[in-house]
Amino acid sequence: MSAHPPLAFLAGDTGVARLMREQDWAGSPLGAPGLWPQSLRSMVNLMLGSAFPMFVAWGPTLSLLYNDAYAEVLGAKHPQALGRPFYAAWHDIRADIEPLVQRALGGEAFFVENLPLRMRRHGYDEDTWFTFSYSPVRNEDGAIAGLYCACADTTAMVLAERHQRAEQERLQTLFSQAPGFVAVTRGPDHVFEIANHAYLQLAGFRDVIGKPVAEALPEVVEQGFVALLDKVFATGEPYVGRSVRLMLNREPDGPLTEAYLDFVYQPLKGPTGQIEGVFVHGHDVTELQRAQAALLVFSNSIPAMAWVADADGGLERFNSQWSVYTGQGTEAALGQGWTGALHPEDRDAPGQAFAAARDQGTEWQVEYRLRRHDGVYRWFLTRAVPQLDASGRVLRWFGTTTDIEDARKNHQALRDADRQKDEFLATLAHELRNPLAPIRAAVQLLGSPASRPAAREHAVDVIGRQVGHMARLLDDLIDVARITQRRVVLKKVPLAVDELVESVLETVRPLAEAKWHTLVATIGGDGLQLVADPLRLAQVLSNLLNNAVKYTDAGGRIGFDVQVEGDWLSFTVSDSGIGLSQAAIENIFTMFAQEQSALDRSEGGLGIGLALAKGLVELHGGTVSAFSEGPGRGSRFVVKLPYSADRQAVLVSPAAALPALRQPQARTVLLADDNRDAVHVLAELLRMDGYLVHTAHDGLEAADLAKRLRPDVLVLDIGMPGLNGYEVARLVRAQPWGDRPLLIAATGWGQADDQQKALTAGFNRHLTKPFDPQQLSDWIAESPVSESEAV
């Protein structure tokens, strides 16, 4: 009685074993597994327990039974192939395998290696290779009942071997045709294994193959080349030689000849990682070396730095000017050592230039700073041209490095002056256009029979204020011109300092209060007296205080301090505002200089106030200075005037007043401009035309009203505080309803690029101040009206 269940041979937990247990075998030629002969059961049990691909083809139809590993060989043919006739499963390769099957069924056991088969197993025909054995299988009667196969898919191995052979053939061709010399030595004695034509030519076509280097080329032993090979073989560290001098005997019994070589000794490792030989590769650079030596003699006679570098920027040689300037010795500068003289911020510039030009094989130039031997950095211009081989590959660079510090400063000064002039002219045009806009609108309002008396009275006030503003701008320009030509005549009188200070504070206090600033004034002593031009001095101090208020965010602190310092009386204006950069401090008193663009300055101005102040102070025999700890950390301006304590003072001081603020009125078209006069008059004109008008005086207010009211038309000034007109336009266009309104830019900036910037920001139209209010009204009339009225 058997010790195992009848189907114990199918008891495995593999996928194919489960399929065999679950499959209905009743109608198959094999019959139920319980009726299979013991010899078949044994073969199946053997297969299912093996991880190696196996199958049995049994019975008259050669029914196919296999294991999981062979199921992977079948691919998409599995699981339908299980129990099917062998030739039905492999009908696509029957012509190839049927003779082999017949050999096995004839009683022969044999082994086939890497048999090529074109088969379909994944839905397409593919070339495969298999190594397998076929063996006949006998039943209990001793008759051959089928065949057994153990196989391996060797496709990947065969393809890899073919690729390797092709690669070896390609490398051999490259090796023999390489333009540089190449050789391989084996073992500690450095026996030549192979050498290409260029190497044999270098050695005088001596018979070197199979000989140690010391025997084949005895003259190189004393020159240290064999010792270098020994070191590379022993340590595994490659050696790179640059323009190394070598004396060779290229003819039998002939004299030694000089050569210069660039070469590499690269260790060759075997499968275990042990060094087995040395790969030698290089170029004969003798002619180049001689040319460079002659070039170096010439280069030492020129004032610029001249140099030669390898393709990657490694310095090979340079003239004496490099060491004179940097203080670097030859060994320190060679290779990449020269980069130690570069300014830290410019370290990447030369390397990027080398890399980009190397790929193209073109000339290049770049500017960077180099440290002088005393630690000072100066700007230099480097130009380089390549030396190319026959294939266009860069071998070396020849270059010069020239000091351009002074030329760069002069060029920058000219550019700054030109830029400042352009900015000044643009700002002047802007500042003159801004008052013209409300004046033109006020005039049109006065000429309209429909205007109300109060509106007409306000229009007259607007015209007066704006004309006064334009007059002050022109006065500043005339004053600067007079100071430049030294035509200003001061009218000096004795002054009481405390009364002067109070009059100046009166002019700035309303503006400071409007921005919620804390204004603190301190006078260091009673009865201080000064001889000066009261109007001009008040002009200087008012300018400094106004700047402090303008360039300090709301809620800041403004200080005005007066102190006696020996023979000088100092007036110090300090603030907690935007601060100044060091570059701004150096140029802030020059003509046209401005720390911020006019677009960012809501109060406007020409940017000549500090230059005017400096000129007036110097006419008084004094000085004016600016101080700041940096951007965002406030500023301090100090005016110092000659002081005498025995003067009697009578104060003469100008005073100024700011127009009262008016509350915006809510209507339909949204007008936004920080010029309140312009907004008020223009709003009245549009109301007379029947439009619903809303007004705003800064960008944040305009954006808020736009979101709440969703107006049909927005007329936006560009240079508003908070958010400028471009930013408000972008916010409107980003709203779900933002594509509906007509957006009109109204600004004193009227160049073509200004109009393009407006269109890019989302504006439909562009008006340059001063513009005709009737044109604006016509544009509004042409715009579509929203379906719901704003509330």
Side-chain angles (χ1 to χ4, degrees):
M1 186 175 181
S2 174
H4 301 284
L7 298 180
F9 71 97
L10 296 180
D13 195 32
T14 66
V16 174
R18 288 194 297 271
L19 285 173
M20 287 186 179
R21 292 195 299 268
E22 296 167 1
Q23 186 157 323
D24 183 7
W25 296 94
S28 72
L30 293 176
L35 302 177
W36 291 357
Q38 185 59 44
S39 54
L40 178 57
R41 294 184 183 192
S42 298
M43 292 303 301
V44 170
N45 188 40
L46 171 67
M47 286 191 309
L48 294 178
S50 175
F52 200 78
M54 299 179 181
F55 73 82
V56 171
W58 186 269
T61 62
L62 296 179
S63 298
L64 185 61
L65 301 173
Y66 49 85
N67 62 2
D68 288 79
Y70 192 79
E72 296 181 9
V73 174
L74 286 164
K77 297 177 183 292
H78 172 73
Q80 291 81 6
L82 188 63
R84 291 184 65 196
F86 180 72
Y87 291 134
W90 288 114
H91 62 88
D92 46 330
I93 57 172
R94 178 169 182 169
D96 297 301
I97 62 176
E98 185 171 10
L100 302 176
V101 171
Q102 294 304 318
R103 287 173 58 187
L105 294 178
E108 181 183 357
F110 56 89
F111 176 81
V112 178
E113 185 174 10
N114 294 333
L115 177 69
L117 295 171
R118 180 77 172 175
M119 62 172 56
R120 176 179 289 266
R121 51 179 178 166
H122 296 106
Y124 56 88
D125 293 337
E126 57 181 313
D127 291 324
T128 63
W129 285 263
F130 283 85
T131 294
F132 59 90
S133 64
Y134 274 2
S135 303
V137 181
R138 300 178 184 274
N139 60 19
E140 283 71 11
D141 297 332
I144 296 175
L147 68 90
Y148 161 76
C149 173
C151 66
D153 185 341
T154 59
T155 302
M157 181 185 69
V158 170
L159 292 176
E161 289 176 351
R162 288 186 174 185
H163 175 74
Q164 184 178 14
R165 284 195 300 271
E167 187 66 14
Q168 288 175 343
E169 292 173 358
R170 187 181 70 85
L171 291 176
Q172 184 64 34
T173 300
L174 291 175
F175 178 85
S176 61
Q177 297 177 352
F181 57 82
V182 181
V184 173
T185 67
R186 293 288 181 181
D189 293 331
H190 317 300
V191 176
F192 280 106
E193 183 176 76
I194 53 175
N196 71 344
H197 182 271
Y199 192 96
L200 296 177
Q201 183 180 37
L202 179 68
F205 293 103
R206 281 178 275 186
D207 184 13
V208 300
I209 304 301
K211 298 179 181 179
V213 172
E215 177 185 340
L217 306 172
E219 67 271 27
V220 305
V221 177
E222 295 298 326
Q223 298 178 57
F225 288 91
V226 174
L228 287 175
L229 287 169
D230 290 339
K231 183 177 180 180
V232 172
F233 189 87
T235 65
E237 296 292 331
Y239 176 82
V240 178
R242 304 283 188 188
S243 298
V244 179
R245 184 174 182 266
L246 171 66
M247 301 300 293
L248 277 173
N249 189 346
R250 303 194 186 193
E251 297 180 3
D253 300 325
L256 294 176
T257 58
E258 182 182 59
Y260 286 87
L261 307 178
D262 285 351
F263 66 92
V264 176
Y265 286 167
Q266 183 73 37
L268 296 175
K269 296 182 180 181
T272 63
Q274 183 178 3
I275 298 173
E276 295 181 348
V278 176
F279 176 77
V280 181
H281 174 249
H283 296 273
D284 186 340
V285 294
T286 303
E287 294 304 319
L288 177 62
Q289 174 69 20
R290 291 170 181 167
Q292 289 174 348
L295 178 63
L296 184 60
V297 173
F298 167 75
S299 68
N300 283 330
S301 66
I302 64 176
M305 301 174 189
W307 47 267
V308 179
D310 63 24
D312 296 322
L315 202 58
E316 295 179 345
R317 55 183 56 83
F318 49 87
N319 68 351
S320 58
Q321 315 308 337
W322 175 270
S323 295
V324 170
Y325 177 82
T326 65
Q328 272 192 333
T330 301
E331 293 302 321
L334 290 177
Q336 296 296 329
W338 68 275
T339 59
L342 285 168
H343 191 285
E345 295 177 2
D346 301 336
R347 290 284 168 84
D348 295 336
Q352 293 172 352
F354 272 114
R358 180 190 59 207
D359 295 340
Q360 301 295 326
T362 58
E363 301 177 9
W364 58 269
Q365 66 179 41
V366 67
E367 295 180 7
Y368 49 77
R369 287 161 287 183
L370 287 174
R371 185 181 63 248
R372 201 165 59 192
H373 57 80
D374 58 0
V376 174
Y377 284 95
R378 293 178 65 85
W379 280 97
F380 283 79
L381 171 65
T382 286
R383 290 189 176 96
V385 296
Q387 178 198 9
L388 307 176
D389 63 12
S391 64
R393 183 173 61 93
V394 174
L395 298 177
R396 292 184 166 67
W397 299 100
F398 296 88
T400 59
T401 299
T402 306
D403 189 327
I404 59 169
E405 179 73 20
D406 296 336
R408 187 183 175 95
K409 286 182 177 178
N410 293 337
H411 182 63
Q412 185 61 42
L414 292 173
R415 287 198 303 177
D416 289 344
D418 189 58
R419 175 183 55 80
Q420 290 171 357
K421 178 202 67 177
D422 290 343
E423 289 179 357
F424 167 74
L425 291 175
T427 304
L428 176 59
H430 178 267
E431 292 301 319
L432 291 177
R433 282 173 177 153
N434 268 346
L436 288 176
I439 290 173
R440 185 170 188 172
V443 169
Q444 187 168 347
L445 181 64
L446 290 172
S448 172
S451 62
R452 296 172 297 173
R456 294 171 65 84
E457 181 179 348
H458 181 71
V460 172
D461 293 340
V462 167
I463 293 173
R465 278 195 299 272
Q466 296 301 326
V467 169
H469 176 65
M470 294 178 67
R472 286 192 293 273
L473 292 177
L474 294 175
D475 286 344
D476 282 350
L477 287 173
I478 293 171
D479 282 345
V480 169
R482 287 175 176 173
I483 290 173
T484 302
Q485 299 171 15
R486 308 192 67 81
R487 292 172 55 190
V488 171
V489 178
L490 297 180
K491 298 178 182 179
K492 294 184 179 181
V493 296
L495 301 174
V497 172
D498 56 348
E499 295 182 21
L500 172 67
V501 169
E502 181 58 31
S503 69
V504 171
L505 290 176
E506 286 179 1
T507 66
V508 75
R509 190 173 283 116
L511 181 60
E513 291 174 351
K515 297 187 71 172
W516 302 289
H517 289 325
T518 300
L519 181 59
V520 179
T522 304
I523 301 178
D526 297 328
L528 297 181
Q529 302 170 358
L530 182 67
V531 175
D533 185 322
L535 292 176
R536 295 304 190 181
L537 185 54
Q539 184 180 0
V540 169
L541 298 177
S542 297
N543 180 280
L544 296 179
L545 282 168
N546 280 327
N547 281 348
V549 172
K550 287 194 295 184
Y551 295 118
T552 300
D553 290 336
R557 185 183 188 281
I558 310 299
F560 187 23
D561 183 62
V562 184
Q563 298 290 338
V564 176
E565 299 177 1
D567 295 332
W568 299 91
L569 186 64
S570 69
F571 299 83
T572 301
V573 176
S574 60
D575 63 64
S576 59
I578 64 172
L580 297 168
S581 64
Q582 185 59 40
I585 291 175
E586 293 174 359
N587 298 293
I588 199 164
F589 294 107
T590 58
M591 189 64 174
F592 312 140
Q594 299 185 59
E595 172 68 349
Q596 293 182 318
S597 69
L599 180 63
D600 297 326
R601 296 188 292 112
S602 62
E603 290 85 351
L606 296 178
I608 63 174
L610 291 177
L612 177 58
K614 180 175 183 292
L616 292 173
V617 169
E618 290 176 348
L619 286 175
H620 280 84
T623 62
V624 59
S625 305
F627 305 90
S628 177
E629 295 183 6
R633 306 185 68 178
S635 306
R636 183 164 53 92
F637 288 81
V638 179
V639 173
K640 289 186 177 183
L641 298 177
Y643 173 73
S644 175
D646 58 354
R647 300 277 185 177
Q648 296 297 319
V650 177
L651 175 63
V652 179
S653 178
L658 293 176
L661 301 180
R662 303 175 68 95
Q663 292 298 322
Q665 302 178 14
R667 299 285 303 223
T668 288
V669 173
L670 179 55
L671 301 179
D673 197 317
D674 57 325
N675 188 320
R676 294 173 182 270
D677 288 339
V679 169
H680 181 83
V681 175
L682 187 58
E684 287 293 325
L685 289 171
L686 293 179
R687 289 183 187 118
M688 288 191 299
D689 287 343
Y691 301 118
L692 201 64
V693 182
H694 297 270
T695 60
H697 303 294
D698 62 57
L700 291 173
E701 184 184 5
D704 181 64
L705 283 173
K707 290 180 181 178
R708 290 192 287 111
L709 302 172
R710 301 184 181 183
D712 299 307
V713 179
L714 291 89
V715 183
L716 304 176
D717 180 41
I718 297 302
M720 294 185 292
L723 296 174
N724 62 43
Y726 300 140
E727 293 168 328
V728 175
R730 294 189 188 99
L731 287 174
V732 169
R733 291 305 190 200
Q735 302 301 315
W737 49 271
D739 60 342
R740 177 180 55 79
L742 172 68
L743 266 61
I744 301 173
T747 173
W749 307 97
Q751 300 298 319
D753 58 338
D754 298 318
Q755 297 178 22
Q756 184 58 47
K757 285 173 64 177
L759 294 176
T760 302
F763 285 99
N764 302 103
R765 301 199 175 184
H766 184 280
L767 283 173
T768 302
K769 296 179 180 178
F771 56 83
D772 185 356
Q774 187 58 49
Q775 181 184 16
L776 174 60
S777 181
D778 292 342
W779 283 357
I780 296 173
E782 296 170 2
S783 65
V785 181
S786 62
E787 296 179 2
S788 60
E789 183 178 353
V791 294

